[in-house]
Amino acid sequence: MDVSVTMWGLTIIGLCALIAVDFFIGGRKPHEVSIKEAGIWTAVWVALAGLFGLGLLVFAGGQPSGEFFAGFITEKSLSVDNLFVFVLIMAKFAVPTIYQQRVLMVGVLIALVLRAVFIAAGAAIVSTFAWVFYIFGAFLIWTAWKLIQEARADEEEEEFEENRLLKAVEKRFPSTDRYHDTKLFIVENGKRLMTPMLIVMLAIGTTDVLFALDSIPAIFGLTQDPYIVFTANAFALMGLRQLYFLIGGLLKKLVHLSYGLSIILGFIGVKLVLHALHESGVHVPEISIPVSLGVICAVLAVTTATSLYVSKKKALVEAGSGEDRTRDKDSVDV
C-alpha cells in the first residue's frame, strides 16, 4: 500500500490525540481502575481498531484491511501473554494499586516508541533482503517450540529478572525505595534521586521490547507493509493498560494460552518460509490472508474455551477436596 508522508503524519497525530484523550479522561488522576472502567475503555480501543480496519477496507481495499485485522489480532493475543510478566513486575516493585495505571500508560508509550524503531529497521531489512524471511520463519518456529517446552514445564513460581539496561540505570543513578505519588525524581538532602515509579516504567517499556523480538517477525509474516505493521502494533498496545485491569484475574485461568500462541507463531513461521521459497522462485503454495486470519481466530477461540473449561473443572475438584477435608475434620472432632 502506497502511503504518503502526509498520511503517515496524520496517522501519528491522530494516535497521539487518542492517547491524550485517554490520559486526560481516564489516566490523569491516580486511582484504582474498576472492572467497569477497564471494560469500557477496552471496548473503545477495540472499536477504534475496528473502525480503522474498516477505513482501510473502504479506501485501500480488502487486502490491506485483512492484513491489518490479522496483524492486530496476532499482536493483541501476544500482548496478552505480556500481561503475565507485567503482573510480576508490579509485584516485584510493590507498585500501589492507584499508581499502576500510570505506570502502564507510560511504560506502554515507551514500548510503542521502541517498537516503531524496530518496525522501521525490520521494514528496511525486509525490503532489501528477501532471504531474511527464512531467518524470521525459522526464529518463529523455534520460538513456538520454546513456548511449548515452557508450557509443559509448568513452572509454579516465576520471578521477574531485570534486564541489563534496567540494572545499568539503577546502578548509575541514585534512587530511593519509596514512592512519592507519581513523581519520577525527588530532591532529598540536596541530592536528586530517582523514584521507583520511573524504574518500574522503564521495566515495563523495555521488557515489552523483548517480547517484540517475536511479535515483530510474526506480523511481518502477515504483511510487509510498514504502515499496517505500525498501526496494528499501535492499536494492540494502546489498549493494553485497560486490558491489564480487565482480565488480570483471568490470566491464571488461561492455562492453554501458551499452546495457542505457539501454534500461531509456528503457523506464521511456516507461512514465512513458504513466502521465502516463493520469492526464491520455488513453486510452493502460499497461505492467503483470509486463511491466516481464520486460523488465528480459530486457535484463539479454541484455546480460550479449553482453558476456561479446564480451569473451571480444576476449581470444582479443589472445592470438592476442600469439602471432603472439612467433613473429615468434623468427623474427627465428633
Side-chain angles (χ1 to χ4, degrees), residues 58-304:
V58 173
F59 296 104
Q63 180 76 8
S65 178
E67 291 177 353
F68 171 80
F69 281 118
F72 171 73
I73 294 171
T74 299
E75 292 297 319
K76 199 70 173 178
S77 59
L78 290 171
S79 295
V80 171
D81 197 37
N82 297 9
L83 297 183
F84 286 97
V85 180
F86 289 175
V87 170
L88 297 177
I89 293 174
M90 294 293 189
K92 177 179 175 62
F93 290 96
V95 182
T97 307
I98 61 172
Y99 300 143
Q100 288 184 4
Q101 51 92 23
R102 177 67 62 84
V103 168
L104 287 168
M105 174 174 283
V106 178
V108 166
L109 287 178
I110 293 172
L112 183 57
V113 172
L114 294 177
R115 282 200 184 199
V117 176
F118 271 55
I119 291 167
I125 294 172
V126 165
S127 62
T128 307
F129 307 105
W131 51 262
V132 79
F133 288 113
Y134 287 112
I135 298 176
F136 281 0
F139 177 73
L140 290 181
I141 293 171
W142 176 79
T143 303
W145 172 249
K146 186 179 177 183
L147 269 178
I148 292 176
Q149 294 295 97
E150 290 176 354
R152 292 178 65 182
D154 192 25
E155 297 177 0
E156 292 295 329
E157 295 187 7
E158 295 183 79
E159 186 175 346
F160 168 71
E161 295 183 4
E162 297 179 4
N163 55 56
R164 291 182 180 180
L165 175 61
L166 197 59
K167 289 180 180 178
V169 170
E170 290 180 304
K171 187 176 180 180
R172 186 178 181 86
F173 298 95
S175 60
T176 177
D177 58 356
R178 290 178 55 227
Y179 287 90
H180 296 264
D181 296 325
T182 58
K183 294 178 181 178
L184 305 182
F185 293 94
I186 62 165
V187 177
E188 200 171 84
N189 299 323
K191 192 174 184 180
R192 187 178 176 84
L193 301 175
M194 182 171 57
T195 69
M197 180 66 70
L198 178 57
I199 298 173
V200 71
M201 286 176 178
L202 291 174
I204 293 289
T206 55
T207 301
D208 182 83
V209 172
L210 296 179
F211 285 97
L213 293 177
D214 57 31
S215 66
I216 297 300
I219 194 170
F220 271 112
L222 298 169
T223 176
Q224 286 81 59
D225 191 320
Y227 181 78
I228 295 176
V229 172
F230 173 73
T231 51
N233 268 273
F235 279 106
L237 281 178
M238 287 191 300
L240 196 58
R241 173 172 62 93
Q242 291 83 0
L243 196 62
Y244 172 88
F245 295 103
L246 181 63
I247 69 171
L250 294 176
L251 287 176
K252 292 183 179 180
K253 295 183 180 181
L254 299 177
V255 294
H256 293 164
L257 179 63
S258 293
Y259 292 104
L261 294 179
S262 66
I263 293 172
I264 291 172
L265 290 176
F267 169 77
I268 297 175
V270 171
K271 184 179 186 296
L272 275 171
V273 172
L274 291 175
H275 177 74
L277 289 170
H278 182 78
E279 291 292 313
S280 300
V282 181
H283 296 288
V284 293
E286 285 203 90
I287 302 173
S288 66
I289 287 298
V291 172
S292 299
L293 185 57
V295 169
I296 292 167
C297 292
V299 169
L300 289 176
V302 171
T303 52
T304 300

